[in-house]
Amino acid sequence: MPRTTSTRPRFATRALLLHLATVALVVALCTGVYLLLAVQQLRAEAESTALGIARTLAEDPQVRSEVAHISASDREPDADALRHGELQRLSTDVASRTGALFVVITDDNGIRLAHPTPSRIGEEVSTPYEEVLAGSEIVDWQTGTLGESARAKVPVRDASGTPVGEVSVGFERAGVFDDLPPLLAVIALTAAGALGLAVLAFLLLRRRWERLTLGVQPEELVALVQNQTAVLDGVDDGVLAIDPQGVVRVSNAAADRLLGLDAPVGRPLDGLGLPAAVLDTTTGARARSSALVGDRMLYLDSRPVIRDGRALGDVLIVRDRTDLVALTERLETVRTMTAALRVQRHEFANRMHVAAGLIDADRVADARSFLGELVARGPVAFPVAGLDLLGDPFLHSFLGAKGVEAGERGVALRIAEDTQLIGGVSAAEDVAAVLGNLVDNAVTAAVSGERTPRWVEVAVLDDDDALVFTVSDSGPGLRGVDPLSTSTSANDAPDSVHGHGIGVPLSTEIARRSGGDLWVIDPGDDEHGAVFAARIGGAVDPARAEQPARTDRTEQQEKP
């Protein structure tokens, strides 16, 4: 099938883009989720660290004592003294050791008792402090005079446990996310690696896809399936496709029917029980051949399948030629009858010339005597002994013509003395096909034998409306058949000069189609060759009974 000429991108390209887009989306989602979790974790760690430092400092006995003393005083805190006091020293020391942005200590009025910026000591804090003085701990992100930070506020309690101030510890936002850029770099490298692996995996997958599909795109595959279904189911010929490993890949209904196969697809060809001729043709040992499968004559044509220089197997075309061969057999019968008529016409013309010559010579008495002898002898002198036993004109002429052909090959055809046919033949075509084939095979067997003289004998009987006849010869007989078996099917007879081609199987089919059969009576012995018998139902019409020709001639001779 020709490639499609669509301007759309090839399926592999579209699949690659879709594949990459899917992978990119998944990587982006995973990266976003991972970043969100990482930021939350860093925030949680900063808040937890700030809370821990604030708690530790708020529990320091010196801090508690100093803050409680200042909060209990009625005077405002001395800012200058606080800038050089113990609380400022402790908060500065803690901030430097922990890397905190600030460590701030206030009294119960929110006045800064310690601050990273000494000038702000003695001023009120910029963020709410009421909730802390109520006894709660606050962990949050807030913006103060030093900028946005993760901060924790813890109440400072006096000896009785009453909140008298707060400790606020904060970490700068930039410091909290110092580890984020390296993390982003790792995530970016991971995402790029994932995309690279996705591209590599798809390239390998596309290569395998195109190797398996021979570069055919999905749209073309759909068309191929549609065309294959239409072709395989729309023809009477059988189609059998075999891959290079000898496994059946395609078999249409006609092939299954003609070859007698049952679900052969996926099975090795050698395990289907096909005749050797079919196997040889299918595997390419023979390009063309004919084979008899069952009762069908099949013509086989094998062709290799090659695409882009790659052998894909063989395709076997199976054609049923049974009807054609049957027609050929019937035409052969017509040819035989035509030859018989030609012989009769030629002999009749010769006789008329003799009679006319006698009359022209005024030898009327000789002419009358000559014509009397002609009436006594009959119309044609066929070289078939006992032919006068057949009163049916069709059998008389048909076997007479066969006798002429056999005589040309040095074989004498004769009619058995026990021949008796009361009715007339009504199925001339079937009788000619079966009887003619058996006689031809018998003549061939006689010619191939060493016995002399060479002969073929035919016995004809009728049984109600059935015609029964036997054909024997002087040939070598059938080899390998049990002499005691008298019911051997002709189709089961071993290879011999009998039944070369499809004559015997076709004759058997014709006989069985009418309710009769064809079989081997005797495979042969030292005195004679094989003896075949056939029975054709409905081949005789009792109402057309005729007396033998010899009786008619006897009566004519007895007339005065």
Side-chain angles (χ1 to χ4, degrees):
M1 189 187 75
R3 300 288 183 88
T4 58
T5 58
S6 174
T7 58
R8 296 178 57 193
R10 291 171 61 86
F11 172 78
T13 303
R14 300 198 304 271
L16 174 60
L17 295 176
L18 179 61
H19 184 75
L20 292 179
T22 302
V23 173
L25 179 60
V26 172
V27 170
L29 290 175
C30 293
T31 301
V33 172
Y34 188 78
L35 282 176
L36 179 61
L37 294 177
V39 169
Q40 290 180 347
Q41 182 178 1
L42 291 175
R43 288 171 60 98
E45 290 178 355
E47 293 171 355
S48 177
T49 301
L51 181 60
I53 295 172
R55 284 176 177 176
T56 301
L57 190 57
E59 294 294 330
D60 185 271
Q62 187 173 0
V63 173
R64 293 178 64 184
S65 175
E66 291 286 340
V67 173
H69 175 72
I70 294 173
S71 296
S73 176
D74 294 335
R75 293 180 300 177
E76 292 185 0
D78 185 356
D80 291 336
L82 290 173
R83 291 186 184 99
H84 301 89
E86 190 65 24
L87 292 179
Q88 179 66 8
R89 185 188 64 80
L90 287 173
S91 63
T92 302
D93 184 53
V94 169
S96 63
R97 285 188 290 108
T98 60
L101 175 64
F102 63 84
V103 176
V104 177
I105 303 175
T106 68
D107 62 6
D108 58 351
N109 292 317
I111 302 300
R112 298 184 181 99
L113 304 179
H115 193 274
T117 306
S119 61
R120 293 186 180 275
I121 295 176
E123 297 177 359
E124 186 177 353
V125 295
S126 60
T127 57
Y129 56 88
E130 292 81 6
E131 189 176 352
V132 178
L133 292 178
S136 301
E137 294 180 344
I138 297 177
V139 179
D140 197 5
W141 286 75
Q142 293 180 349
T143 302
T145 57
L146 298 177
E148 185 180 6
S149 61
R151 62 184 64 190
K153 298 180 178 181
V154 178
V156 178
R157 301 177 187 273
D158 58 12
S160 63
T162 301
V164 293
E166 73 171 6
V167 174
S168 178
V169 178
F171 285 90
E172 187 179 8
R173 179 183 183 86
V176 171
F177 297 111
D178 285 343
D179 295 334
L180 199 55
L183 185 61
L184 288 174
V186 172
I187 293 176
L189 290 176
T190 304
L195 290 174
L197 288 176
V199 172
L200 179 60
F202 180 79
L203 291 177
L204 294 176
L205 181 62
R206 183 178 68 174
R207 180 180 178 184
R208 177 168 177 79
W209 169 278
E210 293 189 348
R211 185 172 65 86
L212 292 177
T213 62
L214 306 177
V216 180
Q217 300 302 302
E219 298 84 355
E220 296 175 298
L221 289 176
V222 173
L224 283 176
V225 172
Q226 294 173 343
N227 294 340
Q228 174 181 300
T229 302
V231 171
L232 294 183
D233 295 340
V235 298
D236 294 331
D237 294 343
V239 179
L240 197 69
I242 300 92
D243 65 12
Q245 287 72 39
V247 179
V248 178
R249 295 304 179 189
V250 176
S251 180
N252 65 349
D256 294 346
R257 173 176 54 83
L258 295 175
L259 297 177
L261 304 178
D262 182 16
V265 177
R267 296 168 56 188
L269 183 67
D270 295 340
L272 300 179
L274 295 174
V278 178
L279 293 177
D280 291 343
T281 307
T282 305
T283 55
R286 288 189 288 179
R288 295 178 178 85
S289 67
S290 299
L292 183 66
V293 179
D295 56 358
R296 313 299 294 176
M297 179 60 187
L298 305 180
Y299 175 76
L300 309 175
D301 185 3
S302 177
R303 300 177 183 178
V305 179
I306 300 175
R307 184 183 177 94
D308 297 332
R310 177 184 172 190
L312 304 179
D314 297 275
V315 172
L316 179 69
I317 307 300
V318 184
R319 297 182 177 91
D320 188 359
R321 292 294 181 261
T322 305
D323 295 338
L324 180 60
V325 174
L327 179 60
T328 302
E329 293 285 338
R330 289 182 170 86
L331 291 178
E332 178 64 20
T333 300
V334 173
R335 188 195 64 80
T336 301
M337 296 301 298
T338 303
L341 292 175
R342 184 174 64 252
V343 171
Q344 288 180 341
R345 182 188 62 81
H346 181 71
E347 185 172 348
F348 179 77
N350 290 338
R351 292 176 179 180
M352 291 300 100
H353 285 305
V354 172
L358 292 175
I359 293 174
D360 291 340
D362 292 330
R363 297 172 58 182
V364 177
D366 293 337
R368 185 184 300 276
S369 175
F370 175 73
L371 293 176
E373 292 178 1
L374 292 182
V375 173
R377 285 198 312 237
V380 179
F382 286 119
V384 180
L387 188 61
D388 291 345
L389 296 174
L390 295 173
D392 181 76
F394 168 75
L395 286 179
H396 190 278
S397 300
F398 180 72
L399 289 178
K402 286 294 182 183
V404 173
E405 294 179 350
E408 293 175 352
R409 303 181 63 183
V411 179
L413 177 64
R414 67 193 185 200
I415 307 301
E417 295 181 356
D418 54 355
T419 293
Q420 183 174 2
L421 179 62
I422 298 178
V425 173
S426 59
E429 290 186 358
D430 290 345
V431 172
V434 177
L435 180 57
N437 184 264
L438 291 182
V439 171
D440 290 342
N441 289 342
V443 171
T444 302
V447 171
S448 65
E450 298 180 356
R451 296 189 182 96
T452 55
R454 297 183 175 92
W455 54 267
V456 172
E457 184 176 82
V458 178
V460 182
L461 301 169
D462 58 354
D463 182 10
D464 196 9
D465 66 343
L467 182 67
V468 182
F469 49 83
T470 63
V471 179
S472 57
D473 58 69
S474 61
L478 301 176
R479 298 180 296 273
V481 176
D482 184 1
L484 299 179
S485 174
T486 58
S487 60
T488 302
S489 171
N491 287 337
D492 299 331
D495 184 26
S496 71
V497 291
H498 283 274
H500 275 172
I502 65 163
V504 171
L506 181 61
S507 299
T508 303
E509 179 191 359
I510 295 174
R512 290 177 177 175
R513 188 172 55 199
S514 64
D517 203 351
L518 190 151
W519 65 97
V520 179
I521 294 180
D522 191 339
D525 52 26
D526 295 336
E527 297 182 359
H528 59 79
V531 180
F532 283 77
R535 177 186 176 91
I536 303 177
V540 176
D541 183 6
R544 296 172 56 186
E546 297 184 15
Q547 294 296 325
R550 61 175 182 174
T551 302
D552 295 338
R553 290 193 295 272
T554 301
E555 292 178 353
Q556 293 174 3
Q557 291 174 354
E558 292 176 354
K559 290 181 180 180

